[in-house]
Amino acid sequence: MSDIYYHPEQYGLEILGEVEAPQNYEFDMFVVWKRKEDGRLFYGTDSGCSCPSPFEDEGIDDLTPIIDFSLFQRDLMQWNTSYSGTKATPTELVDLEEKTLKAFRAFQARN
């Protein structure tokens, strides 16, 4: 199967949103996926040099389901402040949080 980042449709997913640290010849990203079938949300992080593709060795079982929105927020903030300094701008973080919260509430309303 293809990687979950460039071909999420092969896993029944679509990318809802992402934030990425600005890097040269590297990637460091936090991505949220939405399962098309039922709207369930998942997230994952990946980083590396420019040689591998993001999430190339990961599948849906490697992603974290969003069950508690506050835990998602905690993990997003921890990702953003890991290493030295911050990775994404406050606006990028708020945009991802708002988009994810809207989809999370829609999923909860259906289930």
Side-chain angles (χ1 to χ4, degrees):
M1 216 171 212
S2 297
D3 71 69
I4 200 164
Y5 182 72
Y6 288 113
H7 302 284
E9 68 281 353
Q10 293 183 3
Y11 295 84
L13 302 173
E14 62 186 3
I15 292 179
L16 181 70
E18 64 185 89
V19 288
E20 185 172 0
Q23 309 238 354
N24 292 324
Y25 307 107
E26 297 177 21
F27 61 91
D28 189 353
M29 48 197 350
F30 189 106
V31 181
V32 177
W33 287 267
K34 179 179 171 182
R35 189 163 53 197
K36 293 178 183 182
E37 177 184 359
D38 60 4
R40 178 170 290 285
L41 302 174
F42 302 87
Y43 65 94
T45 64
D46 198 13
S47 61
C49 68
S50 62
C51 299
S53 295
F55 299 94
E56 75 176 9
D57 295 324
E58 297 186 35
I60 195 166
D61 292 336
D62 299 306
L63 303 178
T64 303
I66 300 177
I67 298 168
D68 180 329
F69 191 76
S70 64
L71 295 178
F72 160 78
Q73 287 178 301
R74 180 202 66 195
D75 289 350
L76 178 60
M77 292 306 122
Q78 285 178 346
W79 170 85
N80 196 52
T81 57
S82 61
Y83 307 109
S84 59
T86 58
K87 298 178 181 182
T89 67
T91 301
E92 292 171 324
L93 294 171
V94 168
D95 288 347
L96 182 60
E97 283 184 330
E98 287 177 350
K99 190 183 295 186
T100 304
L101 181 58
K102 182 178 178 181
F104 182 70
R105 287 181 174 157
F107 172 75
Q108 286 184 316
R110 287 191 298 264
N111 295 299

